[in-house]
Amino acid sequence: MRATVEGTQRFRERHRAQTDPSFFAQADGVWLSAIGLGTYLGEVDDETSARYEQAIARALALGCNVIDTAINYRFQESERAVGRALHGATRDEVFIATKGGYVPFDRALAQLQQKQFAEAAGAYVERTFIETGIARAEDFAQGGMHCMTPRYLEHQLQASLANLRLDTIDLYYLHNPEGQLGEITRDEFAARLRTAFEFLERAVSDGHIVRYGAATWTGFRQIPSARDYLSLAELIAVAREVAGDAHHFKAIQLPINLAMPEALEHKNQNVNGMWLNVLDAAQEFGVMVFASASLLQARLSRNMPNALRKSLGADMSDAQRALQFTRSLPDVTCALVGMSDNAHVEQNLRLARVPRLSEVELQKALR
C-alpha cells in the first residue's frame, strides 16, 4: 500500500469542515497537507518514542497527512515510532517520507560517551558494511558517516521498510548528498549520483518506493561557486539520463524559514539560461518542495520583532507566525515542523483553519 489520489482525497474530504480550503494541495497525484510532522529531535528512549506515536495520531486526527523521518533520526527510533503509529492509520491516506545516506547505527550506541562512540561507530561500519562487501571504505564520506552506493542504499532501504512496517515508501530521499562534495570531485560526485539514481529507479520498479528526491541542508542555498552547491538542473539531467522523461526524481527538501530565506532570495539555479531561485526552479521542473526547519528547531518560536508579528498575524504565537510564513510560500508543497508532543501538534495545526498569507503579506514579512 501507498498514498494514493483516492486515499488522500478521502482524507481531505473527511477534514474539510475543520480546515481552510488552502490547507490541502495536490502534488504529483496526491493531496498533501500544507504542514507536515517531522521526527528529527528527541532523546533516544521509549518515552520520546511514545510521545511521537501519540503526536502522529493526533496530527492525523487534525488533518496532517505528511510524516517525515530518516533512518538515522534518533538512532532509527524515529522510523520505528512512525511505523508503530501507522498501525491504526489508513495507509493510502498518509504520505510517508524517509531518507538514506547517513550511517544510522542503532540504539545501543546512543548512550556511549564521545570517545567510546567513535570507536564503536567505526567498528559498526567495518562489521556491517565493509566486511560484508556492502560498501568499501573509500565509498564513505564525512568521516565515514555517509554513503550512497547502490548496495548500501539497498541495505538502508530494506531496513527503513522494516522499521516503518511498510511495503512501500511514498518518498525516499538521498540525505544531504552535498556533504560528499567536501571529499570528492564533482565528476566523481556525478558518477555516484548516477548509480544512486539507477538503484532508486529500480526500487520504484520493484514497488519499494513511489518516488525519490534529495533532502539537503546547504546544497540548494549556496552560491554556484561553493564546494557543496547543488544544481537542480544537473540532478534532473542525471535522472533523465537514467530513466528518460519518465524518471521519478520528484522532490527536494531544504531549510526555508524567516532566518534562512535563501530559497527565495538567491537566484542560484540556472534553468535554460535563466537564473532562478530554487523554488521557481523546482516549479519549472515539476518538483515538489518540502521545507525543513520551519521553526529553526524552535529558535523562531520566541522573541520575534513586533513589526514582524504584526505582518504575520496578531492572534498567533511566534511559532505559529513562523510556520504560517513558510507554509504560505506559493511554491512550497509542505512545511515540515518537528512535533513530538500533543501540545505542539494542537498549536501548530490551528493553522489548518487559517488561510495562507497573501503575496502582499509575504512581501511585508520579508522586508
Side-chain angles (χ1 to χ4, degrees), residues 3 14 39 67 72 75 95 145 282 323:
R14 193 165 65 252
T39 59
I67 311 297
N72 65 305
F75 290 75
F95 187 91
M145 295 294 104
L323 185 54

Side-chain angles (χ1 to χ4, degrees), residues 273-284:
M274 294 182 59
W275 287 99
L276 306 175
N277 66 39
V278 71
L279 294 180
D280 289 339
Q283 185 179 49
E284 287 291 318

Side-chain angles (χ1 to χ4, degrees), residues 60-73:
L60 291 171
L62 292 176
C64 167
N65 72 335
V66 177
I67 311 297
D68 180 86
T69 190
I71 193 169
N72 65 305
Y73 289 176

Side-chain angles (χ1 to χ4, degrees), residues 283-300:
Q283 185 179 49
E284 287 291 318
F285 289 118
V287 169
M288 296 184 287
V289 178
F290 291 82
S292 62
S294 297
L295 301 185
L296 196 55
Q297 297 176 6
R299 279 174 277 179
L300 293 174

Side-chain angles (χ1 to χ4, degrees), residues 23 33-41 52 55-56 59 64 66-69 73 253 256 290-301 319-320 322-324 326-327 334-341 344-351:
F23 188 65
S33 55
I35 295 172
L37 186 148
T39 59
Y40 174 52
L41 295 177
Y52 266 121
I56 291 167
C64 167
V66 177
I67 311 297
D68 180 86
T69 190
Y73 289 176
Q253 185 180 127
I256 310 173
F290 291 82
S292 62
S294 297
L295 301 185
L296 196 55
Q297 297 176 6
R299 279 174 277 179
L300 293 174
S301 64
Q320 288 170 326
L323 185 54
Q324 173 73 333
T326 299
R327 71 103 178 206
C334 179
L336 303 170
V337 57
M339 293 185 272
S340 61
D341 64 64
H344 290 156
V345 172
E346 297 278 353
Q347 181 185 55
N348 292 330
L349 288 178
R350 286 175 192 159
L351 294 174

Side-chain angles (χ1 to χ4, degrees), residues 93-284:
E93 296 182 348
V94 187
F95 187 91
I96 306 299
T98 193
K99 312 173 188 74
Y102 284 113
V103 177
F105 305 111
D106 210 276
R107 180 172 176 164
L109 276 69
Q111 309 305 320
L112 298 179
Q113 298 298 319
Q114 186 172 359
K115 182 177 179 181
Q116 293 175 310
F117 175 80
E119 294 173 353
Y124 175 89
V125 170
E126 181 74 25
R127 180 178 65 254
T128 306
F129 303 113
I130 297 174
E131 290 180 1
T132 58
I134 291 172
R136 304 167 301 170
E138 55 266 35
D139 295 328
F140 288 87
Q142 294 183 264
M145 295 294 104
H146 192 279
C147 183
M148 57 183 193
T149 61
R151 288 196 65 191
Y152 177 83
L153 291 175
E154 181 177 17
H155 179 277
Q156 296 294 280
L157 175 56
Q158 292 302 319
S160 287
L161 288 166
N163 288 343
L164 293 165
R165 306 183 185 188
L166 298 178
D167 297 319
T168 305
I169 292 165
D170 298 299
L171 173 57
Y172 191 82
Y173 293 107
L174 285 183
H175 199 174
N176 291 3
E178 70 270 30
Q180 295 222 349
L181 284 165
E183 300 176 34
I184 60 176
T185 66
R186 286 208 167 259
D187 285 346
E188 174 61 21
F189 179 74
R192 291 186 180 189
L193 206 61
R194 182 185 177 91
T195 59
F197 284 11
E198 288 172 346
F199 164 72
L200 292 168
E201 290 289 347
R202 289 196 301 273
V204 173
S205 298
D206 292 340
H208 297 314
I209 64 175
V210 179
R211 55 185 71 77
Y212 62 94
T216 70
W217 187 254
T218 59
F220 291 124
R221 299 187 296 115
Q222 292 284 37
I223 60 174
S225 60
R227 183 74 180 260
D228 56 348
Y229 165 80
L230 290 179
S231 162
L232 182 56
E234 290 177 5
L235 267 64
I236 295 293
V238 173
R240 284 177 174 156
E241 288 173 13
V242 170
D245 288 339
H247 67 83
H248 295 86
F249 185 99
K250 299 294 184 179
I252 60 173
Q253 185 180 127
L254 73 158
I256 310 173
N257 56 58
L258 285 163
M260 303 168 76
E262 298 91 344
L264 295 163
E265 297 181 349
H266 290 187
K267 293 188 176 182
N268 62 354
Q269 298 292 319
N270 193 317
V271 181
N272 298 323
M274 294 182 59
W275 287 99
L276 306 175
N277 66 39
V278 71
L279 294 180
D280 289 339
Q283 185 179 49
E284 287 291 318

Side-chain angles (χ1 to χ4, degrees), residues 1-73:
M1 291 289 290
R2 64 190 68 186
T4 66
V5 62
E6 297 84 6
T8 54
Q9 173 69 17
R10 186 191 318 120
F11 185 91
R12 174 176 176 255
E13 289 297 322
R14 193 165 65 252
H15 293 89
R16 182 182 291 275
Q18 68 189 83
T19 58
D20 183 80
S22 67
F23 188 65
F24 288 93
Q26 196 169 24
D28 198 37
V30 288
W31 288 92
L32 303 179
S33 55
I35 295 172
L37 186 148
T39 59
Y40 174 52
L41 295 177
E43 296 296 324
V44 186
D45 56 28
D46 293 340
E47 180 182 353
T48 302
S49 291
R51 288 203 307 270
Y52 266 121
E53 292 174 50
Q54 294 164 7
I56 291 167
R58 188 59 182 149
L60 291 171
L62 292 176
C64 167
N65 72 335
V66 177
I67 311 297
D68 180 86
T69 190
I71 193 169
N72 65 305
Y73 289 176

